[in-house]
Amino acid sequence: MKKIIHVVGARPNFMKAAPVLAEMGNFPDQFESLLVHTGQHYDANMSKVFFDELGLPEPDVYLGVGSDSHARQTARIMIEFEEILQKHRPDLVSVVGDVNSTLACALTAAKLGVPVAHVEAGLRSFDRTMPEEINRILTDHASDFLFTTETSGNENLEKEGISLSKVHFVGNVMIDSLVRLLPVAQRRWEQAWAAIGASSAEDYVLVTLHRPANVDDLETLGEILEALRRIAADHRVVFPVHPRTRSRIQQLGSPDLDGNLLLSTPLGYLDFMALMSRASLILTDSGGIQEETTYLKIPCLTVRPNTERPITITQGTNQLVAANAEALVEKASEALTSRSVQDTEIPALWDGKAAQRIVDVLRQKWPA
Ligand code: UD1
C-alpha cells in the first residue's frame, strides 16, 4: 500500500486534483490518499464551493496559511507541510499547477527525500516576471514524475536537462473535470445567471482578470475597464471579479459601469462552466480558461503578452491581445463578427482520461 499526499491550495488547483484523487480511489488496495489544503485561497466562493461541486472529500489537513507576500506565504506553507510529511511519511506527494502552494509543497517534499509528482508539468511562458513561471520551473526540477498536458511541455523539460524517463504526456486533468461536469453545468443555465443577478442573455462576453500584471497597475486596469465599457455598448459583458481585482477596482474609485457591464462576486465551478459554454467570447488572463475554451471551441482573447499553453493558439481558439483599450476593442469586435472557430482542434489526450493515465503510470511503478 502506497500513501499519497495530494496538495491543493488555490482555486485553479481544485478541478485538477479532483480527477486524480477520484481515480486513485478506484484502487483502494494500492493507494491510500490524504488531501492537504494549504488554505492559500480561503473565501467560500474561492474554495469551498469547488469542493462541493467537484465532489472533493473534506481535506484531511487544512493548513490555513491565508494571504501574504510571496516569501511569507511560501515559507509558512513549507513550515507547516514539513510537519505533515514527518507525521504521515508518504510515499509520494502529488502537486498540481503553478501556484505558490505547488512550489512550497514540492520543495518541502524533495528536501525530505519524498518523491514528488507534478501534474501539469513543463508549461513555460518564458516570462520570469510571472510568479507562476518561477513556480513551474522550480517545481519541475524538484519532481520525480512529470505529467504533461501538451507536447511543448516535454520539449521544454528536455531542453532544461530533465530526463525524459521522468516525463509522461498524459493529457489534461482540468479537461477531465470539464468533461465529467459539463452536462451538470449546462443544466444550471438559469441558476448561473441568477448568481450574477441578471436575466439570461444569448449574446454575451464573459470576462475574468486577476494577473498582477493586469490588475495591480491601475493604469493598465483602467485601459482594460475602458475596453469593457466600449464592448458593453453592443454586447452584454459579464465579469465575475476575483478578490485581488475587486480591491484594485475599488482603488480606482467606482468606475461608471453601465447596465450592460455586470460585475459579480466570483462564481462557483458549475455556474462559471455554464456561462463559459455558451458565451460569444471570453476575455481572460487565466491559464486554465485558455484550455477550457479551446476544448469548448469558444473564442478566447487572452490579455497577456505570452502564454505557457501554446497549443491553445496553434490548435485552439485562443489569441493573445495587449492590455490596451484600442487593441482589446478591435480584437473583440473581430472575434464577435467572424466567429470562425470551426477549424480549431481539441488537443491530443484532452479526452477526460488524463487522471486514468496518471494513475496507470503510478501503478506500473508500484504494482499491487
Ligand atoms: C493565485 C495564484 C495564481 C492563480 C490564482 C487563481 C500564486 C502566485 N498565484 O493568485 O497563479 O492564477 O491564484 O485565483 O500562487 N484573496 C481573498 N480571498 C481568497 C484568496 C485571496 O480575498 O480566498 C485576496 C487577498 O487579498 C490576497 C489576494 O486575493 O492577498 C491574492 O491572493 P493570492 O493567493 O496571493 O494570489 P492570487 O492573485 O489569487
Side-chain angles (χ1 to χ4, degrees):
M1 172 77 86
K2 296 293 166 192
K3 193 190 272 187
I4 317 289
I5 290 190
H6 303 255
V7 175
V8 291
R11 182 169 65 176
N13 291 163
F14 305 130
M15 61 294 276
K16 296 171 191 168
V20 182
L21 259 167
E23 179 65 20
M24 270 195 188
N26 292 332
F27 303 96
D29 299 336
Q30 252 169 304
F31 299 112
E32 179 194 353
S33 289
L34 281 178
L35 180 60
V36 173
H37 185 344
T38 66
Q40 177 175 342
H41 284 175
Y42 42 85
D43 287 347
N45 60 14
M46 298 292 285
S47 176
K48 180 160 188 329
V49 64
F50 291 84
F51 273 74
D52 297 344
E53 294 184 350
L54 290 157
L56 273 165
E58 283 283 309
D60 298 285
V61 182
Y62 183 74
L63 303 180
V65 297
S67 304
D68 215 322
S69 70
H70 283 273
R72 294 170 72 96
Q73 187 179 59
T74 308
R76 199 170 295 154
I77 297 169
M78 290 182 71
I79 292 166
E80 301 279 331
F81 193 60
E82 185 174 55
E83 282 182 22
I84 303 302
L85 292 181
Q86 278 160 341
K87 180 168 165 203
H88 292 284
R89 308 224 155 259
D91 297 287
L92 180 77
V93 168
S94 173
V95 297
V96 297
D98 56 14
V99 302
N100 285 348
S101 302
T102 310
L103 171 61
C105 294
L107 191 51
T108 310
K111 290 274 179 122
L112 286 180
V114 178
V116 176
H118 184 203
V119 176
E120 200 185 85
L123 297 178
R124 296 289 181 269
S125 66
F126 304 101
D127 174 0
R128 289 198 180 210
T129 65
M130 285 181 82
E132 294 82 1
E133 182 74 354
I134 307 294
N135 294 343
R136 290 180 200 116
I137 295 168
L138 298 180
T139 301
D140 284 339
H141 285 260
S143 294
D144 303 273
F145 296 88
L146 295 100
F147 295 113
T148 57
T149 53
E150 55 175 281
T151 52
S152 73
N154 297 50
E155 290 155 21
N156 295 332
L157 294 169
E158 189 175 20
K159 280 185 202 143
E160 289 175 20
I162 290 179
S163 162
L164 285 182
S165 63
K166 298 196 226 172
V167 181
H168 309 272
F169 172 45
V170 292
N172 194 324
V173 285
M174 183 173 236
I175 301 301
D176 288 10
S177 285
L178 181 59
V179 168
R180 178 169 70 94
L181 289 170
L182 189 59
V184 182
Q186 285 176 327
R187 288 197 291 274
R188 290 172 61 102
W189 175 247
E190 293 299 335
Q191 273 161 279
W193 282 95
I196 56 159
S199 54
S200 61
E202 287 306 319
D203 174 33
Y204 58 95
V205 177
L206 183 61
V207 179
T208 79
L209 293 167
H210 72 281
R211 294 267 163 229
N214 284 332
V215 306
D216 286 0
D217 177 67
L218 295 187
E219 203 176 314
T220 308
L221 180 60
E223 284 281 321
I224 301 174
L225 290 178
E226 172 58 22
L228 298 185
R229 261 182 229 117
R230 288 205 233 157
I231 297 167
D234 299 314
H235 303 272
R236 181 170 289 187
V237 176
V238 177
F239 182 7
V241 186
H242 185 283
R244 172 193 284 279
T245 312
R246 179 162 296 274
S247 74
R248 302 297 185 263
I249 292 178
Q250 279 158 0
Q251 284 170 30
L252 278 177
S254 83
D256 47 331
L257 303 169
D258 88 27
N260 225 13
L261 175 50
L262 292 168
L263 270 56
S264 76
T265 52
L267 297 176
Y269 182 74
L270 295 174
D271 287 344
F272 191 77
M273 290 305 126
L275 289 182
M276 183 155 61
S277 69
R278 282 164 66 173
S280 306
L281 172 69
I282 313 260
L283 207 145
T284 189
D285 58 10
S286 151
I289 292 171
Q290 298 171 51
E291 298 181 336
E292 288 162 336
T293 47
T294 281
Y295 181 84
L296 294 166
K297 304 203 171 198
I298 302 285
C300 177
L301 294 181
T302 298
V303 193
R304 284 179 45 190
N306 48 55
T307 178
E308 60 288 334
R309 294 162 158 91
I311 205 162
T312 61
I313 293 180
T314 54
Q315 285 190 28
T317 59
N318 189 24
Q319 288 183 68
L320 302 178
V321 57
N324 75 64
E326 291 304 322
L328 279 164
V329 171
E330 195 188 313
K331 283 273 188 191
S333 139
E334 255 173 50
L336 285 161
T337 43
S338 74
R339 299 191 183 191
S340 61
V341 293
Q342 290 89 345
D343 295 344
T344 66
E345 280 171 60
I346 295 175
L349 308 190
W350 293 20
D351 58 359
K353 295 181 183 149
Q356 216 170 296
R357 293 186 196 98
I358 288 171
V359 174
D360 279 352
V361 169
L362 298 174
R363 291 180 67 215
Q364 275 165 29
K365 168 80 181 169
W366 292 306

